[in-house]
Amino acid sequence: MPETILQILSRTHPYDSLTAEEVTTLAGSVTDLEITKGEAVYEFAEELPALYLIQSGEVEVTDESGEVVSILGPGNSFGERGLMRGGRAATNARAISTSHLLAIPAPTFLNLVEIHPHVARFFDRARPARAKQSDIATQTLAEMMTRDPATCTPDLPAQQAARQMREAGVSSLMVTEGGDVSGIVTQRDLANKVLAEGLPLNTPVAQIMTSNPLTLPPSALVSDVLHAMVERGIKQMPVVDNGDLVGILTQTDLTRFQAMSSAGLIRDIAAAPDIASLSKIVHHIPQLLVQLVGAHNAHQIVTRLITDIGDATTRRLLAMAEEKLGAPPVPYLWLACGSQGRQEQTGVSDQDNCLIIDDAMTSADDAYFAALAKFVSDGLDVCGYFYCPGDMMATAKRWRQPLSVWRGYFQNWINKPDPEAQMLASVMFDLRPIGGTESLFDNLQADTLAAAAKNSIFVAHMVSNSLKHTPPLGLFRGFATVRSGEHKNTLDLKHNGVVPIVDLGRIYALQGQISAANTRARLEAAIDTGQVSPTGGRDLLDAYDMIAETRLQHQAEQIKRGEKPDNFMAPTDLSDFERSHLRDAFVVVKTMQSAASQGRGIMN
């Protein structure tokens, strides 16, 4: 069953934080458009009639000179920059495949921005972030270089150099002597100077290398490399810091980074023929994270784009499952909870999901849905979304039930808030539809939020449960680090960093019947609806931004070092200035937790 405009807007941020009446009114003014492949949506300097939201297809956005700014896919909006700067298009927009768009009339959109600060903030942040994403020239080499490049000594025979390149999967070797860079030898040198000239295979690389190559420091900009490559015709740039070789940036690296985008990955995911191909595509996420963080995108933009890839992967696996198993016997809805449900996935994520099935389901139908759940969860695991340690997955029969059973779950959790109910409710209140019949969730969410908000005992228990995760504050302005084990003396930026804020956002959502699952959207809505005071809310938003961005930066640095990303950071990795501000952020969270425990917000 096709989604209605109301359903689409209700699950799309920032409209998901409007009241039901406001979303219904908005939906009544929106037009559904079909733009054929190659057709212009608008051209530079034209008067813009609307803001556009992509339902399906792809739209290419270019600047006045025709340079590609971005390629946008489902869920992306465009046109806001022109609307917020006088009403004329600041770019060109053209469909590169037949696309279905929702058009929000310009006066309606501008009115939303005027009366809803969280809508204004969303478009104010999202617009510059998209521009930065395509601009790698202003990033530093430290943010993009390959660390610990392959090296050899000057006396290495040419044939052995070729073998070393093949084994390492690289096209060049840095030639070092006594720690200093003396040259660089490439596959082209081997072909043009050894094979083409008939030199012996044991010719030392010193005789064929480029001596004393141009080098740059890690602080140099990528634009410096681009200029050097154009001017001197070089394809590799060694990166040297105080005389030490620390990395290399190649033309291949630049091409890969320029081509990397969430929209590109999602396009490839949608066309993936099998799970093996899908896994190869999804394993580009770490590179994308490094690129997005290096371009100084806000954390909510980075995690949203990474989550979009997880959503697309899940939907592709659902389609593969139906191709294998046949059409489902009754309608169903696959939902994500946890970080995917909140659209907050980072470089390390497990899977948390469930199935809501139409009440027409019979006991015999469960075999189909059990097979579908296993196929999708196994596929997600292959793609790097590892199995949930707590078995919060649709493969567990408990989390694969008809709608009526789910209604009973939530009702029981609210009426009898024991410790297990608190834990399960904390997870399941972050549910977000991913694929299937979304109408199965509409009334369930609204009814559950209404019942939860009315039950003060349940809310009190949820508040108490949320305080179990505390910021890592130690004595004498220090940090309380992990005391033992593999991660001893580190800060857990997940469980003691972002999770306490996630928990607070969930409490505000319950108390204010806020339908958004995303933490930042919940905090912004809590400010707008008076769940927290403007002062306390803004402080908490700033603290969340500080902690979440520190976490992403930590993961990006790990990936650049060739390490598996995690959430454990040593305080010594931060400067005194950074440590001071991070601790101040934790103090804000602790203060807001204290206020929540006393049933109040932070007063002005």
Side-chain angles (χ1 to χ4, degrees):
M1 180 185 296
E3 283 188 290
T4 65
I5 291 176
L6 177 59
Q7 288 173 329
I8 294 170
L9 293 175
S10 296
R11 65 171 173 78
T12 302
H13 192 59
Y15 317 111
D16 56 0
S17 57
L18 301 177
T19 66
E21 182 180 354
E22 288 171 331
V23 177
T24 301
T25 301
L26 174 61
S29 68
V30 172
T31 305
D32 192 344
L33 304 176
E34 179 177 285
I35 307 296
T36 59
K37 180 179 179 180
E39 184 180 352
V41 183
Y42 56 72
E43 295 183 353
F44 180 79
E46 276 186 6
E47 187 172 347
L48 282 172
L51 172 82
Y52 299 95
L53 171 64
I54 303 174
Q55 293 185 70
S56 63
E58 286 184 317
V59 173
E60 180 184 73
V61 178
T62 58
D63 62 18
E64 182 180 3
S65 64
E67 187 75 20
V68 175
V69 174
S70 57
I71 296 176
L72 306 177
N76 291 134
S77 297
F78 61 98
E80 69 274 13
R81 182 182 177 190
L83 289 173
M84 296 173 75
R85 293 188 177 182
R88 293 193 175 276
T91 57
N92 305 290
R94 178 181 63 86
I96 54 179
S97 65
T98 297
S99 303
H100 288 271
L101 312 177
L102 294 186
I104 301 176
T108 303
F109 169 72
L110 293 172
N111 185 56
L112 281 175
V113 170
E114 180 73 24
I115 65 177
H116 290 288
H118 62 278
V119 175
R121 281 195 294 269
F122 174 81
F123 285 105
D124 218 27
R125 288 191 182 96
R127 174 173 41 79
R130 273 205 303 274
K132 288 178 189 172
Q133 182 184 341
S134 64
D135 183 11
I136 65 170
T138 57
Q139 296 185 51
T140 65
L141 271 61
E143 294 169 325
M144 290 186 60
M145 69 184 184
T146 298
R147 295 175 185 269
D148 301 320
T151 63
C152 69
T153 56
D155 59 353
L156 184 73
Q159 186 177 43
Q160 288 185 233
R163 288 173 178 166
Q164 188 174 335
M165 290 183 202
R166 181 184 64 187
E167 291 169 2
V170 297
S171 60
S172 63
L173 296 176
M174 295 304 306
V175 184
T176 59
E177 191 170 16
D180 296 327
V181 176
S182 57
I184 182 170
V185 60
T186 67
Q187 289 178 339
R188 178 176 292 184
D189 293 328
L190 295 172
N192 293 344
K193 299 178 182 179
V194 178
L195 293 178
E197 298 297 329
L199 295 180
L201 296 180
N202 62 355
T203 301
V205 296
Q207 294 185 24
I208 60 172
M209 70 182 186
T210 299
S211 299
N212 302 314
L214 175 66
T215 65
L216 287 173
S219 58
L221 299 179
V222 172
S223 57
D224 296 329
V225 178
L226 292 169
H227 296 162
M229 286 180 171
V230 171
E231 182 180 354
R232 305 189 181 206
I234 59 178
K235 298 183 181 297
Q236 296 87 11
M237 178 62 68
V239 184
V240 174
D241 187 18
N242 293 322
D244 296 326
L245 177 67
V246 294
I248 189 169
L249 189 66
T250 68
Q251 191 174 64
T252 302
D253 293 329
L254 292 172
T255 301
R256 184 180 69 248
F257 273 94
Q258 287 173 320
M260 183 73 66
S261 70
S262 57
L265 292 182
I266 289 173
R267 178 179 61 240
D268 293 342
I269 286 168
D274 50 46
I275 293 176
S277 302
L278 195 59
S279 177
K280 289 180 181 178
I281 299 165
V282 175
H283 278 83
H284 286 298
I285 285 179
Q287 290 176 283
L288 178 64
L289 185 145
V290 170
Q291 179 180 337
L292 292 171
V293 172
H296 309 293
N297 287 286
H299 70 92
Q300 68 269 22
I301 300 296
V302 178
T303 54
R304 171 63 183 270
L305 294 176
I306 290 176
T307 304
D308 285 348
I309 295 169
D311 292 353
T313 301
T314 304
R315 285 191 286 268
R316 183 67 189 112
L317 286 167
L318 286 168
M320 290 180 182
E322 290 192 20
E323 289 169 9
K324 177 182 178 181
L325 302 172
V330 295
Y332 72 89
L333 178 62
W334 184 282
L335 303 98
C337 43
S339 60
Q340 185 182 3
R342 297 189 303 273
Q343 296 179 301
E344 293 165 7
Q345 287 188 308
T346 65
V348 50
S349 297
D350 62 353
Q351 52 175 293
D352 297 285
N353 47 60
C354 64
L355 271 173
I356 297 178
I357 307 169
D358 191 279
D359 282 332
M361 170 189 180
T362 66
S363 57
D365 294 333
D366 187 57
Y368 175 93
F369 291 110
L372 179 139
K374 186 176 189 309
F375 183 95
V376 175
S377 288
D378 287 351
L380 288 171
D381 183 67
V382 171
C383 290
Y385 303 97
F386 53 87
Y387 298 118
C388 174
D391 204 25
M392 303 287 287
M393 299 185 299
T395 49
K397 187 172 177 61
R398 185 181 189 184
W399 309 126
R400 187 181 67 247
Q401 292 290 334
L403 176 59
S404 58
V405 174
W406 277 98
R407 286 189 176 278
Y409 284 165
F410 281 104
Q411 194 62 52
N412 288 336
W413 294 335
I414 293 169
N415 292 339
K416 300 176 182 178
D418 58 28
E420 183 189 35
Q422 295 168 33
M423 183 275 290
L424 294 175
S426 293
V427 175
M428 294 303 178
F429 272 110
D430 294 346
L431 284 177
R432 184 173 60 86
I434 302 298
T437 304
E438 293 199 9
S439 59
L440 289 169
F441 186 63
D442 291 343
N443 292 332
L444 174 64
Q445 183 189 40
D447 293 348
T448 300
L449 285 172
K454 292 176 183 176
N455 191 320
S456 58
I457 295 176
F458 172 73
V459 174
H461 277 278
M462 289 293 288
V463 170
S464 176
N465 186 64
S466 73
L467 303 180
K468 292 178 180 177
H469 295 109
T470 58
L473 293 169
L475 298 175
F476 309 113
R477 293 196 58 79
F479 292 113
T481 57
V482 178
R483 294 183 179 180
S484 61
E486 178 185 358
H487 302 294
K488 184 178 180 181
N489 297 327
T490 64
L491 297 173
D492 186 340
L493 292 175
K494 178 181 178 180
H495 291 103
N496 300 117
V498 297
V499 167
I501 307 172
V502 169
D503 289 341
L504 284 171
R506 188 182 299 111
I507 295 302
Y508 302 150
L510 288 176
Q511 293 173 326
Q513 299 186 49
I514 297 167
S515 61
N518 177 263
T519 298
R520 208 173 197 289
R522 283 171 167 174
L523 298 180
E524 290 175 342
I527 296 170
D528 294 339
T529 58
Q531 295 300 310
V532 293
S533 73
T535 300
R538 284 194 296 269
D539 285 348
L540 187 57
L541 273 174
D542 288 343
Y544 182 44
D545 292 344
M546 174 72 179
I547 297 166
E549 287 173 8
T550 299
R551 179 192 186 197
L552 284 179
Q553 186 65 53
H554 164 69
Q555 291 187 0
E557 290 299 324
Q558 289 181 303
I559 293 167
K560 288 190 286 186
R561 293 195 299 265
E563 301 170 3
K564 186 176 180 180
D566 62 28
N567 296 297
F568 300 94
M569 184 190 70
T572 52
D573 290 345
L574 299 170
S575 68
D576 289 343
F577 179 84
E578 290 169 327
R579 282 197 295 272
S580 176
H581 281 270
L582 186 60
R583 192 182 189 283
D584 289 343
F586 289 140
V587 169
V588 168
V589 178
K590 184 68 174 177
T591 304
M592 294 299 285
Q593 284 185 323
S594 177
S597 71
Q598 298 173 38
R600 60 178 176 82
I602 300 298
M603 305 309 294
N604 290 309

